[in-house]
Amino acid sequence: MATNQKLTFGGFQVNRGMLTTGVALTGLGAVVGLAGTVLVCTALANAGRGWVRSLETQPAELAQRTLHQARAASAAGLEAWRTSVN
């Protein structure tokens, strides 16, 4: 049998060699693309960790401080509303 044997599907002829090569190259491309994606994500994660380490105030502490400020502002607003209604 020749490597360029044709497959026939209801009058539709497909070159088996080209189909096999195309499938193999597509699979290889998918693997290379996945490897590239992993490398990009790893580089971005490392850069993000380095950036967080370089901050003077850690994000958790900053979030806790902001939440405390928001609660205080909410309580002050509620108290002002209560005194203005009465």
Side-chain angles (χ1 to χ4, degrees):
M1 285 188 193
T3 58
N4 62 353
Q5 179 182 3
K6 305 247 186 209
L7 297 174
T8 304
F9 298 105
F12 187 73
Q13 292 186 350
V14 179
N15 185 326
R16 181 182 282 178
M18 287 180 69
L19 182 63
T20 304
T21 303
V23 167
L25 288 174
T26 301
L28 180 63
V31 169
V32 170
L34 180 62
T37 301
V38 167
L39 288 174
V40 167
C41 289
T42 302
L44 290 174
N46 287 337
R49 271 186 258 151
W51 175 70
V52 167
R53 281 190 209 117
S54 71
L55 294 175
E56 290 181 16
T57 305
Q58 292 299 312
E61 183 183 337
L62 185 60
Q64 188 176 18
R65 186 182 324 150
T66 304
L67 179 61
H68 177 71
Q69 290 171 347
R71 285 183 178 161
S74 176
L78 180 62
E79 185 61 31
W81 178 75
R82 284 183 181 160
T83 55
S84 70
V85 170
N86 292 331

